[in-house]
Structures are given as C-alpha cells and as structure tokens.
Amino acid sequence: MATREDLPGLDLERLRAHVDEVLPGLLSGPLRGTVVEGGRSNLTYVVGDGTGQWVVRRPPLGHVLPTAHDMVREHRVITALHPTRVPVPETLLLCQDTEVLGAPFYLMEFVTGTPYRAREEMEALGEQRTRDIALALVDTLVDLHAVDPAAVGLGDFGRPEGFLERQLRRWKKQLDGSRSREVPGIDRLHDRLAAAVPVSGPPAVIHGDYRLDNVLVAQDGTGDRITAVLDWEMSTLGDPLTDVALLLAYAERDAVNLGFVSSATSAAGYPTSDEVVSRYAERSGRDVSKLNWYVGFAFFKLAVILEGIYFRFTQGKTVGEGFEKVGAGVAPLVAHGNEILKEEK
C-alpha cells in the first residue's frame, strides 16, 4: 500500500473522518491506500484499514469542465444498476462537499477480479477460457441493454431522442477544434455518416466505453465470470448499438494501429467480429442490420480522439512518452471507417 505522500488527491485523514461521520463503525483501523493504475480520466484508489478494503473514485486533479468527471452521475448509475443482473460494485457513500478531498467523490465496495489488458494475459488462460470470457463480455452487455431505465430510476438519465445526430455533431465539433493539418478522408467519413444516420431502436442505458479492460473477471467453481463493470463516467441513455460498435472497433486494434488500447482481443480464442455480433443479436433480439454505420462512427470517434491528442502534443500541452506516434494512427482509423461504410446499404 502507498503512503499518504504517494496519494495525490486523497487525504486519508480527511477521508477517515468523513467516513466515520457518515458510516460510523465501518472502519476499524488506520487507513492506508494505493492508486489504481490504468485509469484514463477519473482517479481510483484502493483504501483499507487492515481488515477490509474499499474503492474511492474522484475527478482528476485540476479538472475544469463542470460537466466532466461527474461523480454524482457515475455514482447514480452504479447505484441504480446494482440490484440488476449487471455486475457493479455496491456504492457506500457519495460526498459532494469539496472541503473533504477538494472534489466530489464516492466510496464503493472492493470487488475482486482481473482487468485483462494484454494478449499475453489471455493466452496464459488458453483459447477456451479466452473465448468464454469474451462471450461473457457480450452477454453482460446484453444484460445492461435489457435494463428498463425507468424501472431503476434512470428514466431521465439522458435524452435518447436525436442521440446519434447529437453525437455526430459533438465529435465533428471536437474535430474542428483540433485541426492543425490535413487528414485525408476524415471529412468524407463525417459527411457519409451524416447523410445516413440510422433510426435508433429502443433506447437503453449505455456504458460509453465498454471493453474487456473495463471489466473485472474472476474464476470460481463454475469458471470465469465478470464480477464488475467499471468506469461509468461516459454512461447515458442512448442507442445501445454504439456500445456494440465500439467493442468491435477496439477488437480491430491490430488492423488499424490502435496500440493505446488493450491487446487482449488479439489473443487466440477471442471470437471474431461476426461471432460477437451474432451473439449479441441472438441474445438481445435487437436489429443489427445497420451496424456498419455504427462501426464507421466508432472509428470516426477514435480518429477524432487521436487527432485531439496529436494536436495537444504539437502545442506542447501533452507530456509523456509515445505521444509523438499518435498522429500516425489517425489515417488508418479514417480509412477503415470509410471502407466499412462502403458495405453499408
């Protein structure tokens, strides 16, 4: 466990005092903590008192966007989904008083499991276990999309009407704000998407970044199972096929130079895209006939994200290793998106 000095954004004494006030008797000893590596945005810590362990989530240090990194929203969706078939941690408290840790945060139970990120990790399990875990990932997504939002108190969690049009406008705006060079084909990809926006089916609670390394997997007497779906900061009410499409896009990482995402989908035994779509369609009963549009849109979003990172790097606003290579990853994403839309009828 890390010491207090190793935990930027988490004052263990203030946290302990607040938990003792709100949940007296929960903690039985001094708190120690560690930062969970791998998160891209919100900060995650595991804290323990020598007897039990819990997880703290808070926004990144110095965040400025009032609607970003919304702890209240993330806490709300996890709390609502906990009684359903969707595996999520149980939430214990939400604190909106910024005097405690400097930002809103929430405390939830610690769930055991592994977030598989590397191909080597999956290959160590063997092809059958890899396949079973991937299919469980699809089945869990089906369970999420089967939840009736109104029945769990999430009827006003988003605006599903016009969802795809708003998403496309949002990402076009992101692109326009990151332009620093000519990106061949990216405007054509956007225009083709805008000209053929499909009619959405029944709305659902969507995760927004659903992939293998955003879930925990543990093995019990019956085999591997997903013990928790994590990182709900992008969740809303919308078109569930956007979740499916992003899952498929991530699985194409080797073909489109997506080196910044998990390589676990490259492991032998991981189902093909056709198998994933077939499994989802069969179990959800949803119409996937226009899925190519959604996958094309997923590649457009990923291209815009990378172009934004590249733009910030060229402006000297992004520090760290590897960012100089990000720009080269945009063109393959755009080309792949355009190629997929050729198949759209």
Side-chain angles (χ1 to χ4, degrees):
M1 291 280 185
T3 63
R4 173 179 172 177
E5 289 72 24
D6 299 320
L7 299 171
L10 181 64
D11 186 316
L12 291 175
E13 292 180 5
R14 286 179 175 271
L15 175 64
R16 174 64 193 264
H18 183 75
V19 174
D20 283 345
E21 178 183 351
V22 178
L23 297 172
L26 178 68
L27 306 178
S28 59
L31 280 181
R32 293 176 68 83
T34 184
V35 179
V36 176
E37 300 294 337
R40 296 180 181 275
S41 185
N42 290 328
L43 297 174
T44 306
Y45 315 84
V46 176
V47 297
D49 62 358
T51 302
Q53 286 185 303
W54 300 270
V55 173
V56 176
R57 286 272 283 178
R58 60 149 290 162
L61 303 178
H63 78 290
V64 295
L65 295 177
T67 58
H69 317 292
D70 192 336
M71 293 295 97
V72 176
R73 187 176 181 83
E74 193 171 287
H75 175 272
R76 180 185 175 190
V77 68
I78 296 173
T79 303
L81 291 175
H82 187 258
T84 73
R85 290 173 55 89
V86 182
V88 292
E90 180 181 7
T91 55
L92 301 177
L93 68 84
L94 169 69
C95 177
Q96 300 183 66
D97 182 1
T98 58
E99 294 297 316
V100 180
L101 295 184
F105 70 92
Y106 66 91
L107 184 75
M108 60 183 170
E109 69 169 326
F110 175 83
V111 178
T112 59
T114 301
Y116 288 106
R117 297 189 174 98
R119 180 181 61 212
E120 295 77 14
E121 293 175 316
M122 299 299 287
E123 288 177 342
L125 304 179
E127 292 189 24
Q128 189 58 54
R129 286 182 67 188
T130 294
R131 178 176 176 80
D132 290 344
I133 290 171
L135 294 179
L137 185 69
V138 178
D139 293 347
T140 300
L141 188 60
V142 171
D143 288 340
L144 170 63
H145 294 165
V147 171
D148 179 352
V152 296
L154 295 175
D156 61 347
F157 194 60
R159 293 184 296 136
E161 300 82 7
F163 175 77
L164 294 178
E165 290 86 353
R166 287 197 310 276
Q167 283 284 298
L168 192 56
R169 288 197 301 269
R170 171 192 170 189
W171 288 101
K172 177 59 161 56
K173 184 178 180 180
Q174 291 277 94
L175 172 63
D176 291 341
S178 302
R179 290 186 187 270
S180 62
R181 60 177 181 165
E182 186 70 25
V183 180
I186 198 165
D187 288 310
R188 179 167 179 256
L189 177 56
H190 167 267
D191 292 346
R192 293 173 76 178
L193 290 166
V197 178
V199 177
S200 295
V205 179
I206 60 175
H207 182 274
D209 195 22
Y210 191 77
R211 48 196 167 93
L212 187 57
D213 54 327
N214 270 343
V215 305
L216 299 179
V217 180
Q219 190 176 30
D220 58 22
T222 61
D224 295 292
R225 65 185 181 89
I226 293 176
T227 54
V229 181
L230 307 175
D231 292 349
W232 291 86
E233 61 195 89
M234 297 178 70
S235 61
T236 188
L237 294 189
D239 191 320
L241 294 188
T242 56
D243 273 345
V244 181
L246 197 56
L247 187 63
L248 296 174
Y250 282 137
E252 295 287 326
R253 66 178 301 280
D254 293 336
V256 291
N257 195 28
L258 272 180
F260 68 95
V261 301
S262 163
S263 62
T265 58
S266 303
Y270 196 92
T272 65
S273 293
D274 285 346
E275 289 176 308
V276 168
V277 173
S278 177
R279 178 88 167 198
Y280 179 86
E282 177 186 352
R283 299 215 163 195
S284 69
R286 291 184 180 268
D287 180 5
V288 297
S289 61
K290 297 295 183 180
L291 192 57
N292 279 352
W293 185 95
Y294 293 85
V295 179
F297 180 46
F299 280 113
F300 177 72
K301 289 193 295 183
L302 291 172
V304 173
I305 290 170
L306 261 63
E307 189 64 12
I309 295 172
Y310 172 78
F311 175 74
R312 290 190 294 276
F313 171 75
T314 62
Q315 299 292 308
K317 298 178 180 179
T318 299
V319 296
E321 298 181 0
F323 289 111
E324 70 279 1
K325 301 177 183 178
V326 167
V330 177
L333 292 170
V334 172
H336 208 59
N338 274 311
E339 188 65 28
I340 287 169
L341 291 187
K342 285 182 181 179
E343 306 169 21
E344 189 68 25
K345 303 299 183 184

